[in-house]
Amino acid sequence: MTVEIPKEKWSGQVREVTIGATAEDGGTRTQTLTIGGETTLPFLHFEGSIPHRPALAIEIRDRKPDDWSPILLETWGEAMESPAAWAKAAEEAGADLIYLVLSLTTADGEENTPENARRVVREVLDATGLPLAVAGPGQADVDNELIVPVAEEAEGERILLGICEEGNYRTIVAAALANNHLVQSKTPMDVNLSKQLVILISDMGIPLERIVMDPTTGALGYGIEYGYSVMERLRLAALQGDSMTQQPMLVDPGAEAWKVKESKVGEGVPESWGDWQNRALEWEALTASSLVQSGADLLVLRHPDTLKRVKAMIDALLATTA
Amino acid sequence: MLKIGENIHIIAPSVKVALKERDGGFFVDLARKQKEAGADVIDLNIGPRKKDGAEVVEWLVDCMQEAVAGMTISFDTTNLTAIETGLKLWGSNAIVNSTSAEEERLEQVPPVAAKYDAKLIALCLEKSGIPVGADARIGIAMEKLIPRAEEVGIPMENLLVDPLILTVSGTQEYVPEAIETVRMLKMVMDPAPMTVVGLSNVSNQVPNKMRPLLDRVYLTMLMGAGLDSAILNPLDKKLMGVIQGIETRDDSTPVKALYLKLFDRVAGMEQLQPEDVDMSDPLQAEIWKTVQVLLNQVIYTDSYLQF
C-alpha cells in the first residue's frame, strides 16, 4: 500500500541572513554563517526547502564570569582566562559562531570601558576565523557605550550586534548601519512585540537581511512551552507570507538552561535527580533541541558537550529526512 | 441592525464625574446626541454599583425620561436590584445587560427579564472564563443560555447571545472565532436567538487612532455572519456610515462598495479576495490589511497598516 504524505504549500520564506565577511567581502573571517531561507517547518524536507542547517554558537565572555556553574568552569578551564583562548577552544568544540558577551565590570570590579571592549573584540577576531556576535552586558546605557566602539573596531566584519530591545535599539542599529553590521532584535516572549520591533528597526533603514529576531525563550521546565509556541506562531506566520516575521530566529538556551536550579546546583537536591553533570548537560541539550524543532535558526550554547549532543540530533534528523 | 449606544459608560471619566455630581444635563445631552446619531438603544453602564445601584438607576431613568422617552434602555450592571428598579420604572421597552452562564447569574437574572418582558443579553461566559473556540461558545449557548431562557419564558427574539469579543492585540487568534460563533448561533436552531457584541473590545489596547478602522471592518464581517445588534459608539460617524451603507446596499463609492463586498464574502462563507480590492487606493488597502489582521492571517502590531 502506498501512503500519500500530505504536504502543505507555503507561500512565504524565511529571509537568508549572512553573518561574517571573508576577505573577498572586506572582512577577515575564514568562513561566514548563513541562516534562514526555509520554505517549510523544521526538518520537513519533503515539503519545502531547508537550505541551511540550524547553527550552533558558543557563548564566551570578555573575562571569566563570576556566576557560572562550576561544571562550565571546569570544562573550559584555562581558556576562560583569555577571551582569545576561549574563542579558539569554542571553535575547536565545533561552534559555527562565537557569541561574545561583554561584562558590566572588569575582573577587579571596575566599570568596563570602550577601550577594553575594543581590545577584547580585536583579540577574538584575531584568534578565530569564525563569524562573531557581540552583546553588551544588558544595561541600556552601558550597552550603547560599549557596542558603538565595538562596531567601529570590527568594521567590515559583518558581526551581529546585540542586543536591540524595544527601549534601546536606536544607538545599536545606527552603529550597525555605520559599520555594515547586523543586529539582534530581542523582545519578551510575544509575537506582536517580536514583529513590532523588527518593524521599528527596519524603519531606521537597515535592510531586513541584516536583522536576526530573538523571540526569547525559557529553559526546560521554566516556560519553554510558551517560548516554543511564540516561535512556532512566528514561523507559521512567516511561511504564510507575513513579511515582518520572516527573520531567522536566534535563541539563547545556554543562558536560560544554566540559570535554573536543576543545572546550577549539585548539592541539597533530591538524589533521584541523578548525576549532576549529566543532568545539567541534558537540561541545556533538551532545551536547545526543543527549540530547534520550533524553528530556531541559531542557538547560543555554553557547554561544548551540549553542542555535540545537539549537533548529533540535527545530523540524525537531516539524515533521515534528506 | 439594532445599535446600542455605549457612551454612557462609567469607565469614561466625564461620565464618572457627571454621575458623582448628579449632573442631569450631561446625561440628557449625551442620550439625545446618541439618539440623533442613530442609536436605537441607550445603554446605561453604571458599573457594579453594589451600594446605591437602585438609587442611581432611578435618577438616571428620570434623566432618560426627559431626554429620550419611549426609546429602549439597556440596564448594564451586575446589580440585579438596580436592574429591576430600572425595569419597574421604564417598562418592557428595555434590555437586561447581562447574564452569563455562571450558575448564580443564570439562576437569578433571566427570571427578572422574563417578568418585565424585557430583552436579555446573555454572555458565552462560564466560571472558568471565556472559552476560546467557537464550538465551546456555542456549547454554552446551546446547553445553558438558551435552555434557561426557554425555561423562564423568554422568546428567542428577546434573547441576545453575546459570543464575547476579545482584543486583536494579544488574543488575535480568537478574533475570527467570534465571527464563526455568530454564524453558528444563527444556524443551529430555528428560531435562532438574536446575537449581540461589544464591538470596541476588538480594538482594546490598540492605539486610539487605529481603533475606529478595526471596529468598522470587524463589524462588517460580523454583520456578514448574521449579527443582529451591537453595543457601539453611535457618535462614530464613519462606523454608522458603514452600517447604513451595508443596510441600504450603497456601493456609490469604491470604499462603500468594498465594505459591501466584504459583507457579501463573509455572508457567502468566503474570504475577501485580492481582486476585490484596488490596492492602489490607500483607503481600500488599509481595509484589506485590517481584514487580514482580523482573520489572524497577519500578526497584529501597532504598525500593521504600514505594510
Side-chain angles (χ1 to χ4, degrees):
Chain A
M1 195 177 106
T2 41
V3 177
E4 184 87 15
I5 297 179
K7 289 181 190 173
E8 192 80 47
K9 182 81 191 123
W10 302 106
S11 59
Q13 179 174 18
V14 180
R15 280 193 185 84
E16 274 191 342
V17 167
T18 299
I19 307 169
T22 58
E24 209 170 89
D25 296 312
T28 63
R29 305 298 81 208
T30 53
Q31 54 181 290
T32 61
L33 175 64
T34 301
I35 52 175
E38 305 94 310
T39 61
T40 183
L41 293 170
F43 305 109
L44 302 188
H45 287 265
F46 59 88
E47 200 173 83
S49 123
I50 301 171
H52 310 287
R53 49 181 290 150
L56 304 174
I58 288 280
E59 175 185 349
I60 68 168
R61 296 293 179 99
D62 57 350
R63 67 175 174 88
K64 186 174 173 179
D66 308 318
D67 57 348
W68 279 28
S69 163
I71 294 175
L72 290 166
L73 301 185
E74 193 186 329
T75 300
W76 294 110
E78 284 289 295
M80 279 176 142
E81 304 297 335
S82 124
W86 197 349
K88 246 187 210 156
E91 181 172 6
E92 278 158 27
D96 300 305
L97 175 136
I98 303 296
Y99 193 97
L100 169 65
V101 179
L102 304 169
S103 309
L104 199 55
T105 57
T106 58
D108 43 19
E110 299 293 317
E111 233 172 69
N112 204 344
T113 61
E115 296 73 36
N116 184 58
R118 269 181 193 268
R119 180 186 59 77
V120 170
V121 165
R122 177 48 53 203
E123 280 177 23
V124 171
L125 284 169
D126 291 345
T128 169
L130 289 181
L132 180 68
V134 183
Q139 272 187 20
D141 50 338
V142 187
D143 283 7
N144 292 343
E145 201 190 334
L146 298 180
I147 290 298
V148 173
V150 163
E152 289 167 6
E153 184 66 36
E155 192 195 351
E157 299 282 8
R158 284 182 68 93
I159 68 173
L160 178 64
L161 297 178
I163 293 173
C164 295
E165 297 186 274
E166 200 180 4
N168 185 53
Y169 64 92
R170 293 178 180 277
T171 305
I172 297 172
V173 173
L177 274 168
N179 300 284
N180 196 23
H181 297 306
L182 297 81
V183 294
Q184 175 185 351
S185 163
K186 185 180 179 75
T187 42
M189 290 185 252
D190 180 292
V191 286
N192 307 107
L193 295 179
S194 288
K195 181 176 169 185
Q196 176 73 4
L197 187 55
V198 170
I199 293 171
L200 293 174
I201 288 173
S202 84
D203 272 354
M204 285 187 67
I206 195 164
L208 289 163
E209 287 68 27
R210 280 160 60 189
I211 303 173
V212 176
M213 186 164 68
D214 175 354
T216 305
T217 184
L220 183 66
Y222 294 82
I224 192 174
E225 56 279 54
Y226 195 59
Y228 188 105
S229 298
V230 166
M231 291 169 73
E232 186 181 42
R233 185 131 190 280
L234 283 167
R235 182 50 49 86
L236 288 170
L239 295 175
Q240 280 161 9
D242 190 344
S243 173
M244 289 295 164
T245 64
Q246 289 173 334
Q247 306 314 117
M249 291 190 283
L250 173 157
V251 271
D252 197 345
E256 294 298 331
W258 285 99
K259 199 157 72 176
V260 307
K261 190 179 178 190
E262 285 82 350
S263 51
K264 217 172 176 177
V265 181
E267 281 167 18
V269 302
E271 207 170 313
S272 59
W273 283 18
D275 177 68
W276 177 24
Q277 161 118 1
N278 193 44
R279 180 174 73 241
L281 291 187
E282 291 291 15
W283 219 270
E284 188 180 23
L286 283 169
T287 302
S289 48
S290 305
L291 296 170
V292 169
Q293 305 281 1
S294 67
D297 297 283
L298 176 57
L299 299 101
V300 184
L301 302 169
R302 285 190 174 173
H303 198 289
D305 288 351
T306 307
L307 186 139
K308 289 197 182 73
R309 293 181 193 200
V310 178
K311 198 166 241 180
M313 182 204 77
I314 294 170
D315 286 342
L317 281 168
L318 287 172
T320 52
T321 55
Chain B
M1 200 188 61
L2 193 73
K3 299 173 283 293
I4 305 171
E6 70 183 3
N7 304 57
I8 299 178
H9 194 300
I10 197 68
I11 301 264
S14 57
V15 170
K16 206 170 184 174
V17 170
L19 188 59
K20 196 171 171 210
E21 294 172 355
R22 295 291 189 271
D23 177 359
F26 175 91
F27 290 98
V28 168
D29 187 46
L30 192 49
R32 279 186 183 151
K33 263 193 199 154
Q34 293 184 75
K35 185 185 178 188
E36 280 158 22
D40 305 303
V41 180
I42 302 295
D43 188 67
L44 301 178
N45 182 317
I46 60 167
R49 215 77 204 189
K50 279 187 188 147
K51 282 186 197 150
D52 60 350
E55 187 253 311
V56 164
V57 163
E58 203 173 327
W59 180 79
L60 276 173
V61 163
D62 267 351
C63 299
M64 293 306 112
Q65 292 289 10
E66 184 186 336
V68 290
M71 245 184 122
T72 306
I73 296 293
S74 158
F75 295 100
D76 189 352
T77 172
T78 46
N79 181 337
L80 192 56
T81 312
I83 289 181
E84 190 156 6
T85 303
L87 295 174
K88 260 185 214 156
L89 294 166
W90 196 262
S92 67
N93 205 7
I95 298 177
V96 172
N97 190 4
S98 58
T99 185
S100 69
E102 290 163 286
E103 214 168 292
E104 198 189 328
R105 304 288 302 163
L106 202 55
E107 171 72 31
Q108 295 172 356
V109 181
V112 174
K115 181 174 166 193
Y116 293 90
D117 214 11
K119 291 181 193 298
L120 172 66
I121 292 180
L123 315 176
C124 294
L125 174 75
E126 287 182 307
K127 260 220 168 67
S128 50
I130 303 175
V132 291
D135 289 347
R137 297 189 205 193
I138 293 295
I140 291 175
M142 295 296 288
E143 287 158 28
K144 298 202 167 153
L145 303 175
I146 293 169
R148 180 64 177 148
E150 285 173 333
E151 190 180 22
V152 301
I154 298 175
M156 284 302 104
E157 76 239 33
N158 276 353
L159 180 69
L160 297 159
V161 178
D162 183 344
L164 292 174
I165 303 301
L166 296 171
T167 175
V168 74
S169 170
T171 43
Q172 193 182 353
E173 53 270 54
Y174 311 135
V175 169
E177 292 287 337
I179 299 175
E180 290 318 305
T181 308
V182 167
R183 192 195 301 282
M184 284 155 75
L185 281 168
K186 298 310 291 181
M187 295 199 305
V188 283
M189 56 188 287
D190 189 21
M194 299 293 120
T195 49
V196 65
V197 296
L199 180 63
S200 59
N201 286 340
V202 76
S203 58
N204 260 339
Q205 286 154 34
V206 169
N208 275 336
K209 67 174 173 38
M210 297 160 63
R211 295 190 64 171
L213 175 65
L214 281 159
D215 293 351
R216 289 199 289 282
V217 175
Y218 197 46
L219 185 63
T220 303
M221 297 165 82
L222 288 161
M223 287 173 77
L227 185 72
D228 301 287
S229 59
I231 303 172
L232 46 71
N233 176 11
L235 306 183
D236 179 342
K237 284 193 177 129
K238 285 189 177 167
L239 179 67
M240 297 300 272
V242 165
I243 298 170
Q244 197 188 19
I246 290 169
E247 288 180 337
T248 60
R249 297 205 58 83
D250 176 358
D251 60 0
S252 58
T253 70
V255 166
K256 282 181 177 170
L258 181 54
Y259 276 112
L260 205 51
K261 187 78 197 175
L262 173 61
F263 171 87
D264 287 343
R265 287 286 196 193
V266 177
M269 299 184 77
E270 295 165 347
Q271 286 188 10
L272 192 69
Q273 298 299 314
E275 64 262 27
D276 298 337
V277 188
D278 175 1
M279 299 290 181
S280 68
D281 175 355
L283 292 177
Q284 292 188 55
E286 70 178 22
I287 293 170
W288 166 259
K289 288 173 188 170
T290 303
V291 170
Q292 301 312 303
V293 163
L294 290 168
L295 288 176
N296 193 30
Q297 284 169 349
V298 168
I299 291 179
Y300 171 83
T301 75
D302 289 351
S303 35
Y304 78 87
L305 287 175
Q306 288 174 31
F307 299 92

